[in-house]
Amino acid sequence: MASSRARGGDRDARMPLAAHLREFRNRLILAAAGIAVGAIIGWFFYEPVFDALQKPVLEAAEQSEGLVSINFSGLVTALDMQIKVSLFIGIVLSAPWWLYQLWAFVAPGLEKREKRYTFGFLGTAIPLFVGGIALAWWVYPRAVDILTGFTPEGGSNFLDAQMFMTFTMRLFLAFGIAFVFPVVMVFLSWAGIVKPRTWLRGWRWAVIIIFTAAAVLTPTPDVFTMLMMAGPMSALYFGAIGVASLKGRLGRRRRT
């Protein structure tokens, strides 16, 4: 197994840098094309999605007697908002496609037996991405409520439409992408790049990094939102270590 992995690594190492860059460019173009198709579909679902995103703002307005609203300050801001929402929908809808392109970029360096992990990668990464988006959807109304709650009594909070959409996309995509990382951990371990015990030895640093990343990625200043990302990510980290260890245990059982 070690010799076959070495041969696979030698083949991958002999691939010129230009070929790697061309492959990366091609996969990037294919991923972007998939997102563009998803965005075209998302264009027709703009109104219901925007209404759902705006709902927490309207609820906050009711609590503060109408002093909270999304402000379209420019002539083309409404059009720009529809484009951004469509792009956001496109990224979510095309997640299976661009996640596959990510895998396909790495797969040429793998052995034939390792390439069969494709279905396992996609079958796990896609639900985790969707799960991260779903958790963000649950956290989102509370985040809006907390942030608008800082408005002083008697003041008005007119949310700039551009900043509002940037905040929303950052929150949802941060949760979705963060939840995919454990699958990458398992892949690196099963491919023999990082041993499971290496992940386990570094759990203290991992938890620190997870909480720091959650504090940076979540666009809200409250501890609740940070914990809602960092808690599941920490659990998934240790779960990924357990799954990564399964291959070694199964291999030892076959040899006995």
Side-chain angles (χ1 to χ4, degrees):
M1 181 65 184
S3 61
S4 64
R5 192 181 306 283
R7 289 195 298 270
D10 291 341
R11 288 196 302 270
D12 195 47
R14 286 197 299 268
M15 184 181 291
L17 177 61
H20 280 291
L21 293 176
R22 282 195 300 271
E23 177 69 12
F24 177 74
R25 180 198 62 192
N26 293 338
R27 294 298 173 186
L28 192 62
I29 291 173
L30 288 172
I35 293 173
V37 172
I40 293 172
I41 298 172
W43 180 272
F44 299 99
F45 292 93
Y46 164 72
E47 289 190 7
V49 172
F50 181 75
D51 288 344
L53 294 175
Q54 187 181 217
K55 184 178 178 181
V57 178
L58 298 178
E59 291 176 351
E62 291 179 1
Q63 296 176 5
S64 58
E65 299 179 357
L67 298 178
V68 180
S69 65
I70 298 175
N71 184 29
F72 293 82
S73 57
L75 184 64
V76 296
T77 304
L79 174 62
D80 188 60
M81 172 67 84
Q82 185 162 352
I83 293 173
K84 283 188 174 182
V85 172
S86 301
L87 179 61
F88 169 69
I89 298 171
I91 293 173
V92 175
L93 289 180
S94 64
W97 175 250
W98 56 258
L99 282 170
Y100 170 74
Q101 297 306 320
L102 172 64
W103 174 264
F105 174 68
V106 178
L110 302 178
E111 293 296 319
K112 288 184 178 179
R113 291 194 339 181
E114 293 167 342
K115 289 180 180 179
R116 67 186 179 186
Y117 297 154
T118 300
F119 295 105
F121 175 82
L122 294 176
T124 309
I126 293 170
L128 282 175
F129 179 81
V130 174
I133 295 292
L135 182 59
W137 190 271
W138 183 77
V139 170
Y140 170 67
R142 182 175 176 84
V144 172
D145 184 58
I146 290 173
L147 291 176
T148 56
F150 285 105
T151 306
E153 187 176 352
S156 300
N157 195 336
F158 297 107
L159 308 175
D160 180 75
Q162 300 279 11
M163 294 182 65
F164 169 75
M165 197 58 218
T166 299
F167 159 83
T168 304
M169 291 180 67
R170 180 179 168 187
L171 178 68
F172 280 83
L173 295 180
F175 271 80
I177 294 172
F179 274 45
V180 175
F181 181 72
V183 186
V184 178
M185 288 175 55
V186 173
F187 159 71
L188 292 175
S189 295
W190 284 19
I193 300 172
V194 182
K195 294 182 179 179
R197 62 173 175 266
T198 303
W199 296 115
L200 186 59
R201 281 201 301 264
W203 74 268
R204 293 178 181 85
W205 282 107
V207 171
I208 292 173
I209 293 171
I210 286 171
F211 274 81
T212 303
V216 173
L217 291 173
T218 52
T220 61
D222 63 290
V223 177
F224 172 79
T225 306
M226 182 189 72
L227 291 176
M228 289 307 301
M229 175 183 281
M233 280 185 65
S234 299
L236 287 170
Y237 178 86
F238 289 105
I241 294 174
V243 174
S245 303
L246 287 177
K247 186 181 179 183
R249 293 174 185 172
L250 292 173
R252 286 192 296 270
R253 288 180 182 176
R254 292 193 187 103
R255 290 193 295 269
T256 56

